[in-house]
Amino acid sequence: MNELRRVYIDNSATTPLRPEVLDAMLPFLKGMYGNPSSGHHFGREVKARILEAREIVAEALGASPSEILFTSGGTEADNIAIKGYAWGKNERRGGHLITSTIEHPAVLEPMKYLSKNGFDVTHVDVDPAALIHPENVAEALRRNTILVSVMHANNEVGSIQPVKEIAELVKEKGAAIHTDAVQSFMKIPVNVDDLGVDMLSVSAHKINGPKGVGVLYVRKGTKLDPLSHGGHHEWGKRAGTENAAGIAGLAKAVQLGLASMEENTKKISKLRDDLESRIIAMIPHVRVNGSREKRLPGSLNISFECVEGEALLINLDMVGIAISTGSACSSGSLDPSHVLMAMGIPHEIIHGSLRFSLGHANTMEDNDYIMAHLPRIIDMVRNISPLWDMEEGKPISLEEAERGANLH
Ligand SMILES: *Cc1c(COP(=O)(O)O)cnc(C)c1O
């Protein structure tokens, strides 16, 4: 039996590890086991490599090494930024924070936690293209606003937010600004001074690095309370022996990502545009979600009328194609995506949404393979839908659907 061809087009969820990254990590999993806090040879050689990695990451972000805090990933970076800042800012527990309705759960959940523990949180809405308007943030700013957290680019539809403009407004009012740059880093330029942010989160496994390691950039002078207390690692802001292998892998992924960013952006956006135009040309009753101009190069979110995204996911997986749907994937639940809801897309349309996210490993052959299967699978799923008029090849009108429902 032939082995099933596999097409991975879910790079917003995670990315394949580059072989060079693995090579950079292996020494730490073999001979270089020293604890970087140890004063002897074993410790010092690891400490030196962590220092090097810190310099590489700092340079990539336009920061200095002392502003780089290694974490266990994007989630922890977001949590330290939000809860650490809020707690560090106000011992009495209080104050106001602003975020958007389309953030990753790693931002929304700490915000929710704070709002249950004495802080006020405002969620700024987005427009139908999933873009935050700076004037809406300006309107939400209060005298007691301490922190604003808005993502640099969205993980579901790829929309790129005007973080720089928002940061200017926030700084005018004397508040701090954090941005989750997990999706944008290594896809578009990310520089902490250009963006004007005080804190910025990065995750290694979204940039072809290993899972379980990330970065929080913390601008000099920004006070944070630690979430975990212990040794004096990471400037006393994040206790725990450093994940040396992960940190080395992250630094390698950054170097490789920077060197190929321009070339990758060109290649990936061309593939994305090709896939998008072929889907629109070959499959009727579809809509592209999110901004088409201010969008990450590999992002493509499409709604197919009269289908269930989950049915598509399963059928595509059977032919080896790996994608995400417009439902919350984290809990395996079928709650419609909060991002697509915030954009004002109707529930029934959200349920038929797919998120394609392309990475550097994708090829035109992948597109060909997807297009050899997707139209057929959509047809098949639509033909068993009570909402689809098989003969006419279009959605059944509401009156007809109601009449049909009354017969049963
Ligand atoms: C993946 C992701 C995270 C979480 O990063 P982890 O390293 O998996 O914890 C946070 N924010 C965004 C936008 C993401 O896409």
Side-chain angles (χ1 to χ4, degrees):
M1 212 177 93
N2 286 340
E3 208 182 315
L4 180 64
R5 185 191 160 111
R6 298 241 177 235
V7 171
Y8 184 82
I9 193 143
D10 200 13
N11 288 274
S12 292
T14 195
T15 57
L17 194 84
R18 289 189 198 250
E20 302 94 320
V21 170
L22 177 63
D23 289 342
M25 295 172 72
L26 281 175
F28 300 91
L29 300 167
K30 291 180 171 172
M32 290 174 68
Y33 53 80
N35 185 327
S37 297
S38 301
H40 48 61
H41 164 80
F42 293 88
R44 277 184 311 181
E45 70 173 356
V46 176
K47 190 175 182 171
R49 301 289 284 276
I50 290 178
L51 210 71
E52 234 175 75
R54 211 182 289 281
E55 280 165 5
I56 290 166
V57 173
E59 196 185 334
L61 290 170
S64 66
S66 62
E67 296 174 311
I68 300 302
L69 205 150
F70 289 121
T71 68
S72 67
T75 301
E76 197 194 13
D78 287 343
N79 271 269
I80 297 176
I82 295 164
K83 292 188 292 196
Y85 188 82
W87 292 339
K89 187 73 189 168
N90 198 330
E91 305 292 341
R92 287 179 294 106
R93 299 292 145 100
H96 175 238
L97 296 94
I98 299 173
T99 188
S100 83
T101 49
I102 58 160
E103 299 296 313
H104 190 274
V107 165
L108 291 176
E109 291 299 319
M111 289 288 184
K112 193 161 141 196
Y113 172 83
L114 288 177
S115 73
K116 283 184 184 160
N117 288 277
F119 292 87
D120 277 337
V121 179
T122 302
H123 293 81
V124 170
D125 258 327
V126 294
D127 71 11
L131 294 169
I132 303 164
H133 289 231
E135 58 270 28
N136 292 343
V137 177
E139 234 166 73
L141 280 164
R142 301 183 194 161
R143 264 225 315 271
N144 68 337
T145 304
I146 53 173
L147 179 68
V148 175
S149 177
V150 289
M151 66 199 323
H152 193 197
N154 180 263
N155 46 300
E156 290 192 36
V157 296
S159 52
I160 300 168
Q161 307 302 331
V163 172
K164 184 189 170 74
E165 289 74 16
I166 294 170
E168 279 166 12
L169 295 166
V170 171
K171 301 314 290 179
E172 260 173 45
K173 296 279 179 185
I177 177 159
H178 163 255
T179 190
D180 177 329
V182 169
Q183 288 293 339
S184 58
F185 191 49
M186 293 293 130
K187 297 190 186 118
I188 55 174
V190 173
N191 178 293
V192 294
D193 285 340
D194 288 350
L195 290 173
V197 293
D198 299 300
M199 294 179 282
L200 180 145
S201 304
V202 161
S203 172
H205 78 95
K206 304 288 174 80
I207 60 163
N208 304 104
K211 289 164 187 67
V213 61
V215 171
L216 179 65
Y217 157 79
V218 184
R219 187 176 291 279
K220 198 168 174 265
T222 309
K223 191 169 168 277
L224 291 180
D225 265 10
L227 304 192
S228 58
H229 298 83
H232 291 285
H233 313 89
E234 304 299 311
W235 330 107
K237 284 167 183 159
R238 198 255 177 191
T241 302
E242 296 85 343
N243 172 7
I247 290 169
L250 163 63
K252 191 51 149 188
V254 166
Q255 282 181 315
L256 295 169
L258 272 186
S260 57
M261 190 160 91
E262 209 171 309
E263 177 196 335
N264 271 339
T265 297
K266 232 182 268 166
K267 180 194 138 169
I268 293 171
S269 57
K270 198 170 145 211
L271 282 177
R272 189 269 318 275
D273 293 344
D274 172 77
L275 187 60
E276 178 180 83
S277 58
R278 283 160 83 176
I279 289 174
I280 293 170
M282 286 185 69
I283 304 173
H285 299 283
V286 302
R287 57 191 267 182
V288 176
N289 299 317
S291 169
R292 283 166 98 166
E293 297 79 37
K294 292 178 183 140
R295 181 167 57 165
L296 292 176
S299 294
L300 176 60
N301 191 304
I302 297 197
S303 295
F304 301 87
E305 283 182 51
C306 302
V307 298
E308 278 295 326
E310 295 306 306
L312 294 182
L313 186 145
I314 292 163
N315 280 285
L316 287 165
D317 188 46
M318 285 200 292
V319 295
I321 299 168
I323 41 99
S324 283
T325 66
S327 300
C329 48
S330 45
S331 54
S333 74
L334 295 181
D335 292 340
S337 145
H338 70 281
V339 175
L340 299 180
M341 283 211 296
M343 293 161 67
I345 300 172
H347 279 222
E348 65 274 18
I349 305 273
I350 295 178
H351 278 300
S353 304
L354 294 184
R355 177 185 76 178
F356 302 88
S357 47
L358 293 81
H360 80 278
N362 288 114
T363 61
M364 197 54 94
E365 286 71 43
D366 290 346
N367 281 4
D368 294 343
Y369 188 75
I370 291 167
M371 293 317 294
H373 289 283
L374 184 63
R376 174 183 62 76
I377 289 170
I378 298 269
D379 262 353
M380 184 178 76
V381 174
R382 275 178 175 168
N383 286 344
I384 56 172
S385 165
L387 300 173
W388 185 254
D389 185 331
M390 211 164 123
E391 273 164 34
E392 298 280 328
K394 64 177 178 60
I396 287 174
S397 70
L398 210 57
E399 305 87 79
E400 278 176 273
E402 270 166 12
R403 221 181 304 133
N406 286 340
L407 294 177
H408 299 290

